[in-house]
């Protein structure tokens, strides 16, 4: 694969060479992708902002317009959009190897930290000090889910039809236990058939600015993405094989918890449209009530740990997979199940980017696909509302029962089982996040410390 230098691109466009930043070497890009992976706290909004600052504002490798175009494409895909955006930009800069490097380094630091925290929790979670810290963390996570609900609602609910679809999604999940994938597919179908009734929220708008290195190369050599397409497609199908072949082998030859983990999280990988919060209710329902891998409280702990680590929030699935393996066979099984979960969660992300990137222009201009995405995003509001209610009942009440009312089945708390300390910590987290606006990590730290103080005081 030949890549034009910046000077060649400048000559072709009759622009002075000094006016453009140079296209980075692979080694330079590698260091930047690692830096982003180490600093990617704050959820998708913070991660996308970090990517923008590093590759657009500070280095001018990519223009704002091209960055936004790539982001819009990544929002069409299942999976963590920030990680996929990094993969896509890496592919544009250095082909398949650039995409792999950017995508892997985006998640690798978080994977290592989450594995360490999972081991710590599994081995020391019952130690009073550690348990007290996690008690405060769970109350804070409830408020974080509510904050995510408000954030997505502001972006997604632009029409009356979007509000109605969000309400229908909430009722389908909460009252009638409709499987999460069916809710997503139904919303996508509605948006595809009636795209004019749904409008996707934006991530910002492109700004004018000095020319960027990649844009200069592409302007001088517009056929470059097409030449990269063949290698991208091959890499995409290799990623599909690396994802599905181990899953099939585990299910047919091994069975047990590893087959269950491989199959379950492979399903999650193709329905995580709308972010991690959207799929967590389904994960919690199946992992807690279906497989019995962990308790609702442990699910909240995992989400809190994922919020405090770099990398995508979807790394909470790694915690779930670890506890599944740990419960079945101890520490070594937990580590293996954790690695397997990461593999089947992120291998599809590379497949989606490498198979879809060559068609990005066609997809971006497709009005019906845009409508389908907007409808799914609207339904995600109802999904997150169900998640907030599910978590909230189990954080604040010790006794939650299933009550049948006609065809519906509702979770109803026993009011006498309200935990006043959990309520107080949730109120503290809400004050920190919404009132004092001290940020995500500080809010988690304050409530974890408050939980420690309360528990150590014997309350």
């Amino acid at each position: 694969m030949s890549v034009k230098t910046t000077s060649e691109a400048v000559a072709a466009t009759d622009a002075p060479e000094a006016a453009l930043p140079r296209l980075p070497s692979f080694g330079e890009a590698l260091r930047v992708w690692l830096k982003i992976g180490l600093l990617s706290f704050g959820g998708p909004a913070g991660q996308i902002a970090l990517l923008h600052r590093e590759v657009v504002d500070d280095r001018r490798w990519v223009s704002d317009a091209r960055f936004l175009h790539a982001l819009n494409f990544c929002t069409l895909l299942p999976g963590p959009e920030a990680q996929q955006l990094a993969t896509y930009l890496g592919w544009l800069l250095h082909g398949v190897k650039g995409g792999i490097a950017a995508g892997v380094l985006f998640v690798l630091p978080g994977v290592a930290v989450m594995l360490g925290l999972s081991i710590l929790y599994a081995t020391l979670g019952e130690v009073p000090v550690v348990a007290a810290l996690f008690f405060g963390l769970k109350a804070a996570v409830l408020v974080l889910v509510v904050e995510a609900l408000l954030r997505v609602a502001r972006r997604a609910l632009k029409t009356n039809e979007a509000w109605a679809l969000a309400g229908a999604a909430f009722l389908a999940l909460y009252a009638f236990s409709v499987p999460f994938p069916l809710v997503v597919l139904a919303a996508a179908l509605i948006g595809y058939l009636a795209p004019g009734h749904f409008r996707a929220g934006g991530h910002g708008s492109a700004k004018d600015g000095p020319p960027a290195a990649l844009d200069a190369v592409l302007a001088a050599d517009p056929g470059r993405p097409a030449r990269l397409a063949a290698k991208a497609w091959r890499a995409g199908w290799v990623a599909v094989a690396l994802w599905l072949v181990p899953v099939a082998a585990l299910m047919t030859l091994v069975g047990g918890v590893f087959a269950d983990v491989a199959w379950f999280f492979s399903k999650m990988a193709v329905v995580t449209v709308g972010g991690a919060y959207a799929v967590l209710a389904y994960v919690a329902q199946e992992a807690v009530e279906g497989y019995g891998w962990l308790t609702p409280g442990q699910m909240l702990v995992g989400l809190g740990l994922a919020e405090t680590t770099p990398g995508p929030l979807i790394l909470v699935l790694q915690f779930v997979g670890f506890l599944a393996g740990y419960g079945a066979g101890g520490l070594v099984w937990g580590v293996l199940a954790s690695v397997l979960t990461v593999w089947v969660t992120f291998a599809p992300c590379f497949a989606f980017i490498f198979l879809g990137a060559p068609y990005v222009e066609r997809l971006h201009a497709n009005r019906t696909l845009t409508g389908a995405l907007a409808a799914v995003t609207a339904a995600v509001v109802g999904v997150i509302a169900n998640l907030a209610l599910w978590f909230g009942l189990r954080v604040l009440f010790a006794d939650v029962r299933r009550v049948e009312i006609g065809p519906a089945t509702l979770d109803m708390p026993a009011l006498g089982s309200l935990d006043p300390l959990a309520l107080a910590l949730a109120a503290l987290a809400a004050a920190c996040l919404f009132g004092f606006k001290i940020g995500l990590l500080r809010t988690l730290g304050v409530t974890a410390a408050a939980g420690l103080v309360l528990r150590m005081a014997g309350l």
Side-chain angles (χ1 to χ4, degrees):
M1 177 181 65
S2 63
V3 179
K4 291 195 174 189
T5 64
T6 302
S7 59
E8 290 172 330
V10 170
T13 55
D14 296 322
E17 185 173 355
L20 293 173
R22 65 185 182 85
L23 200 64
S25 68
F26 181 69
E28 289 173 313
L30 207 62
R31 289 189 290 273
V32 172
W33 301 133
L34 178 58
K35 176 185 176 182
I36 290 171
L38 291 169
L39 299 178
S40 57
F41 295 93
Q47 292 158 2
I48 290 168
L50 176 63
L51 275 166
H52 188 276
R53 184 171 67 249
E54 292 292 334
V55 304
V56 177
D57 293 338
D58 292 350
R59 292 172 175 80
R60 295 302 297 168
W61 291 349
V62 179
S63 70
D64 195 67
R66 186 169 297 281
F67 182 94
L68 182 61
H69 181 70
L71 175 59
N72 287 339
F73 167 64
C74 291
T75 61
L76 290 169
L77 303 174
E81 62 192 47
Q83 187 265 349
Q84 290 170 322
L85 176 61
T87 304
Y88 181 78
L89 294 173
W91 173 75
L92 274 181
L93 288 170
H94 295 108
V96 170
K97 71 175 183 179
I100 293 173
V104 168
L105 290 177
F106 191 90
V107 300
L108 194 58
V111 167
V113 172
M114 180 57 81
L115 179 58
L117 291 173
S118 300
I119 294 172
L120 175 67
Y121 176 79
T123 56
L124 299 177
E126 299 305 319
V127 174
V129 172
V130 178
L133 289 170
F134 285 132
F135 171 62
L137 198 63
K138 289 188 290 186
V141 166
L142 172 59
V143 178
L144 297 181
V145 175
V146 173
E147 190 272 337
L149 170 64
L150 297 175
R151 184 178 66 247
V152 176
R154 284 193 295 267
R155 191 180 76 201
L157 304 184
K158 305 290 186 180
T159 65
N160 292 333
E161 291 83 358
W163 278 95
L165 187 57
F170 172 78
L171 288 175
L173 291 165
Y174 172 64
F176 300 102
S177 301
V178 177
F180 171 77
L182 290 183
V183 173
V184 171
L185 290 175
L189 180 61
I190 291 170
Y192 186 85
L193 295 176
H197 294 284
F198 301 94
R199 297 199 305 271
H203 292 270
S205 58
K207 302 174 183 177
D208 294 329
L214 178 61
D215 291 66
V217 170
L218 295 176
D221 186 15
R224 183 171 181 262
R227 293 198 305 274
L228 295 177
K231 291 185 178 180
W233 288 327
R234 287 198 296 271
W237 287 115
V238 169
V240 170
L242 290 175
W243 165 33
L244 294 181
V245 170
V247 173
L250 287 170
M251 293 181 66
T252 56
L253 301 177
V254 178
V257 68
F258 293 113
D260 290 339
V261 165
W263 170 243
F264 178 68
F265 291 113
S266 290
K267 289 191 296 181
M268 293 304 97
V270 298
V271 297
T272 49
V273 178
Y277 280 113
V279 77
L280 282 181
Y282 180 60
V283 172
Q285 179 184 5
E286 292 296 313
V288 173
E289 300 172 6
Y291 290 102
W293 289 335
L294 71 174
T295 66
Q298 290 173 325
M299 187 72 197
L300 280 166
V301 168
L303 183 55
L305 295 179
E307 291 277 14
T308 63
T309 60
L313 184 60
I314 202 68
L315 286 176
V316 64
L317 301 186
Q318 180 186 359
F319 178 80
V320 177
F322 176 89
L323 288 187
Y326 184 82
L331 185 59
V332 174
W333 279 40
V335 172
L336 292 175
S338 172
V339 172
L340 176 61
T341 301
V342 171
W343 185 266
V344 299
T345 297
F346 290 101
C349 295
F350 291 97
F352 297 148
I353 289 296
F354 291 140
L355 292 176
Y359 295 107
V360 62
E361 296 295 335
R362 186 184 307 175
L363 284 173
H364 182 62
N366 192 306
R367 181 171 175 267
T368 54
L369 285 178
T370 301
L373 173 66
V376 169
T377 306
V380 160
V381 176
V383 173
I384 298 176
N386 177 64
L387 173 68
L389 182 59
W390 192 91
F391 275 158
L393 292 175
R394 287 155 179 81
V395 170
L396 301 178
F397 296 92
D399 185 9
V400 179
R401 303 167 185 172
R402 301 284 286 174
V403 177
E404 293 186 3
I405 303 177
T409 304
L410 309 180
D411 282 345
M412 301 295 290
L415 298 181
S417 67
L418 175 66
D419 185 343
L421 292 183
L423 180 61
L425 287 172
L428 173 63
C432 291
L433 196 62
F434 297 115
F436 299 110
K437 301 185 185 299
I438 66 173
L440 171 69
L441 292 179
R442 289 181 180 177
T443 296
L444 291 170
V446 167
T447 51
L452 176 62
V453 170
L454 290 173
R455 284 292 191 243
M456 293 298 99
L459 297 177

